Amino acid sequence: MPITDETAPFTTLSARLTGFDTADLAATGLTDVYRAVASERLGALRYARLLSEVREDPDTVMDGELREAARAVTYLWYTGSWPGSPPFVVSPRALAEALVWKAAGVGAPATAPGGYGSWAGAGDRSVPGGGTGEGSLA
């Protein structure tokens, strides 16, 4: 999903907060969805304040309210859910695209099956993740 004029400030802020670049965030296809969730959950005033006041290093300009808002947006990107009790899960796709999996260098569990019959053989324990070892150098 392309970054629009409406999502650009949110995506720029999110890149600062998550450590991922705007292209990585856009590649999830969730920038507009997450912008809408953040705007709704934070409220219009706090959302606008977060976008306008966090321009440089987030730690140097945030008060307690903005710090919590920034943490919530970061949590959203890394987990696909909005923090709270209970957390609000955005969608199954958001869970699959969560940055936690990209940061760990793995796919989300149960989102990329190994193909028909992949469950029949025992995994190769010498391969990280216990894969079948096909295509590995081991």
Side-chain angles (χ1 to χ4, degrees):
M1 177 172 284
I3 297 175
T4 64
D5 289 344
E6 214 171 283
T7 59
F10 177 73
T11 307
T12 300
L13 168 72
S14 296
R16 278 191 209 103
L17 295 175
T18 64
F20 282 83
D21 64 32
T22 57
D24 288 331
L25 299 179
T28 67
L30 294 164
T31 53
D32 202 40
V33 172
Y34 285 175
R35 182 198 54 76
V37 168
S39 177
E40 176 188 324
R41 296 287 172 152
L42 293 173
L45 292 175
R46 192 163 44 153
Y47 175 75
R49 189 170 163 233
L50 182 66
L51 289 180
S52 68
E53 291 185 27
V54 182
R55 300 259 182 219
E56 300 301 321
D57 179 14
D59 286 331
T60 63
V61 297
M62 289 194 288
D63 59 24
E65 181 182 51
L66 282 186
R67 187 175 305 277
E68 285 306 311
R71 283 184 182 145
V73 169
T74 305
Y75 187 92
L76 176 63
W77 279 104
Y78 272 88
T79 67
S81 61
W82 191 262
S85 183
F88 166 73
V89 178
V90 174
S91 69
R93 180 172 176 216
L95 176 61
E97 292 292 333
L99 295 181
V100 66
W101 311 119
K102 291 170 182 44
V106 299
T111 60
Y116 182 78
S118 64
W119 60 87
D124 181 354
R125 302 227 185 252
S126 68
V127 177
T132 62
E134 293 179 24
S136 69
L137 298 176

